[in-house]
Amino acid sequence: MNYLVGDFIIRIKNSAISKRKEVLLPFSNINREIGKVLVREGFLKSIKEDNENGYRELKAVIRYEKRIPVLTDVILISKPSLRVYEPVKNIMEIKKRGRRTVIISTSKGVMTADEANKKGVGGEVLFAIW
């Protein structure tokens, strides 16, 4: 596992596509914070920390509406080979490229593009989800 954020979000996407109810994910502080944002935005029902065989893991419950997963696709914007940092004025331009939720890691925590715009902070654009 080289890129924790990419691995985290792609595991959730693959589980949603294969119609699983829940998925076990590797634990890290940034993964936990991204999971909280996804719960707040309605892509996940819940996320909780679990201690399995001495290893900390995250257990995420995927949200469905009429047996169709709410999460349909993800685009990783920032990668290990190319980190994408944007100031607050450019973040909303990225969001306007389609009907999607953009997740950003800022100095004030992990948040959506709308929250970052309200707080007036920029940061690393992690991924877009819809």
Side-chain angles (χ1 to χ4, degrees):
M1 248 183 331
N2 210 6
Y3 184 45
L4 292 175
V5 174
D7 181 54
F8 175 80
I9 197 65
I10 295 300
R11 282 188 190 199
I12 292 173
K13 174 189 158 190
N14 290 341
S15 297
I17 289 171
S18 64
K19 308 277 189 198
R20 298 200 183 262
K21 291 181 181 177
E22 59 185 29
V23 58
L24 288 175
L25 303 160
F27 178 85
S28 72
N29 289 332
I30 192 160
N31 286 353
R32 182 182 60 215
E33 295 303 316
I34 291 170
K36 289 178 184 177
V37 171
L38 293 177
V39 169
R40 199 168 55 235
E41 291 298 312
F43 292 104
L44 297 176
K45 276 188 182 178
S46 67
I47 190 160
K48 65 179 179 176
E49 216 174 302
D50 196 19
N51 200 349
E52 191 74 29
N53 299 330
Y55 295 107
R56 288 172 36 177
E57 294 178 330
L58 294 171
K59 186 179 283 188
V61 179
I62 299 170
R63 185 167 170 247
Y64 291 90
E65 286 183 2
K66 297 180 184 175
R67 295 186 183 180
I68 299 172
V70 174
L71 186 154
T72 56
D73 205 2
V74 173
I75 293 178
L76 292 174
I77 297 172
S78 192
K79 301 172 183 148
S81 61
L82 180 63
R83 302 286 184 176
V84 178
Y85 297 93
E86 294 291 340
V88 66
K89 62 182 179 181
N90 295 348
I91 288 174
M92 292 314 286
E93 292 175 14
I94 293 172
K95 186 180 183 307
K96 289 180 185 175
R97 292 182 190 159
R99 193 175 159 177
R100 54 180 79 158
T101 303
V102 178
I103 307 296
I104 300 166
S105 176
T106 67
S107 59
K108 298 190 178 189
V110 178
M111 60 186 75
T112 64
D114 294 330
E115 293 169 348
N117 191 29
K118 287 177 186 174
K119 292 184 179 182
V121 293
E124 182 182 355
V125 183
L126 298 175
F127 58 90
I129 188 168
W130 65 96

